[in-house]
Amino acid sequence: MDSEKPTRAINPVFARTRKAILQKLGDPVAHVNKNPTNFVLVHEGGHGAWCWYKVADLLQKSGHTAIVFDLAGSGLHTTRPDHISSLQQYAEPLLEALRSISDSEKVVLVGHGLGGMCLAYASEIFASKIAVAVYLAALMLPEGFESLERHMNKIETQLIKSKASICSINLFSKDSCREILYNTSPSQDIQLACTLLRPVPSALSRAKAENVTDKGYGCVRRVYIKTTKDRAFPVGAQDTMIKMNPPHRVLSLNCDHSPFFSAAQELHRMLLGISVAYGR
């Protein structure tokens, strides 16, 4: 009769230490089915829920919830972009998603590009539901009354140095999209994006962060993720904006303006790390 192979006992101290290290590094395995987090992902202007397909899949496979949707006039939303008249109307699908979250739960709210405007607006209304707001190469408006146009004028020196800005997506041809928005992204994702992009509502350029206060937006912790190879919103402009309105933490990805395509794995790990640090 064959003798059974003895099993090696795992030192519980080693196991806890290993787990802590993996979580610190943002290893997805360390997060599976453990303290699941609701990640609410807000897309860039002209994009839609479709752009998060890689990141949403990775988050869900890690045992978390990824909530994605089309902002008004974007993706498959039925409203025409030229019928959007305000930031409030544009951001309504985000507000609807946050209303559906239980008052006892908190979310990690992630906004990309112009989606950062929606984060500021939502943070004022639902501050108690937001554990942390993550600005991914996103506009991060300062507190108080500030139109996007005026805010962008303050960092226009950096934008002039780039070929275009994130406010000019409507002017991009498919070729320029490749060069400006997706310059380090896989070709198949570029093809997908060029097929699905819609015009950015012009009303957003006149939008104001009205009634943004210390008690609402100001009490939500903010993390900024820079994209160092960004040609749409160059890193110099991001740095200028960060200096004007410092977040709690600044991280960096060595990629283009669209890390959900070009650096999905790295972004996934970074979001998990942020969730561990700020998500409770």
Side-chain angles (χ1 to χ4, degrees):
M1 182 175 179
D2 295 337
S3 59
E4 293 185 1
K5 187 176 181 178
T7 58
R8 178 184 293 182
I10 299 177
N11 186 313
V13 175
F14 171 79
R16 289 195 298 271
T17 303
R18 178 179 179 275
K19 182 178 180 180
I21 292 173
L22 287 174
Q23 288 182 331
K24 186 73 174 178
L25 294 175
D27 191 307
V29 176
H31 296 266
V32 172
N33 296 323
K34 183 67 174 178
N35 296 325
T37 298
N38 291 318
F39 289 87
V40 178
L41 309 178
V42 184
H43 62 77
E44 164 70 287
H47 291 65
W50 50 265
C51 72
W52 295 110
Y53 80 95
K54 289 182 179 180
V55 177
D57 181 60
L58 290 168
L59 289 171
Q60 289 168 353
K61 286 179 178 176
S62 297
H64 303 282
T65 300
I67 301 172
V68 298
F69 44 83
D70 297 318
L71 293 170
S74 307
L76 297 178
H77 196 279
T78 55
T79 304
R80 286 173 43 178
D82 58 350
H83 286 182
I84 302 299
S85 59
S86 66
L87 175 60
Q88 291 88 332
Q89 182 185 4
Y90 181 66
E92 180 55 32
L94 167 59
L95 303 186
E96 184 178 347
L98 291 174
R99 290 188 196 104
S100 70
I101 301 295
S102 167
D103 290 337
S104 62
E105 296 184 78
K106 287 184 177 288
V107 306
V108 174
L109 182 59
V110 184
H112 177 237
L114 291 173
M117 298 173 63
C118 299
L119 262 62
Y121 181 53
S123 294
E124 181 64 29
I125 301 172
F126 294 104
S128 63
K129 290 187 176 184
I130 302 171
V132 59
V134 182
Y135 290 76
L136 176 61
L139 291 176
M140 189 167 58
L141 300 179
E143 299 167 23
F145 294 83
E146 182 80 62
S147 71
L148 174 59
E149 184 176 22
R150 181 182 172 191
H151 186 60
M152 294 306 289
N153 285 341
K154 293 182 179 180
I155 56 176
E156 66 180 353
T157 301
Q158 292 293 340
L159 290 173
I160 289 171
K161 294 178 182 178
S162 71
K163 294 181 179 179
S165 77
I166 57 177
C167 297
S168 305
I169 291 176
N170 296 349
L171 305 178
F172 294 172
S173 65
K174 289 188 177 181
D175 288 339
S176 61
C177 280
R178 294 173 184 272
E179 292 299 316
I180 297 170
L181 294 174
Y182 315 117
N183 45 292
T184 66
S185 294
S187 59
Q188 62 268 34
D189 290 325
I190 298 173
Q191 185 61 42
L192 171 70
C194 289
T195 302
L196 297 175
L197 282 174
R198 293 181 69 181
V200 178
S202 59
L204 294 184
S205 65
R206 302 184 297 276
K208 293 184 178 181
E210 298 185 14
N211 301 322
V212 173
T213 65
D214 288 336
K215 294 181 180 180
Y217 167 77
C219 73
V220 175
R221 294 174 294 187
R222 289 175 288 117
V223 174
Y224 198 94
I225 301 178
K226 300 194 296 183
T227 43
T228 59
K229 292 184 178 180
D230 199 322
R231 295 178 181 173
F233 195 26
V235 69
Q238 296 177 50
D239 286 334
T240 299
M241 186 175 56
I242 288 168
K243 185 177 180 180
M244 290 167 55
N245 189 23
H248 293 77
R249 188 177 182 187
V250 178
L251 303 170
S252 296
L253 287 170
N254 188 33
C255 67
D256 59 20
H257 185 62
S258 307
F260 42 77
F261 288 158
S262 58
Q265 293 279 357
E266 293 88 340
L267 176 57
H268 169 237
R269 287 193 292 269
M270 195 168 282
L271 292 177
L272 293 184
I274 292 170
S275 174
V276 170
Y278 299 99
R280 294 287 175 267

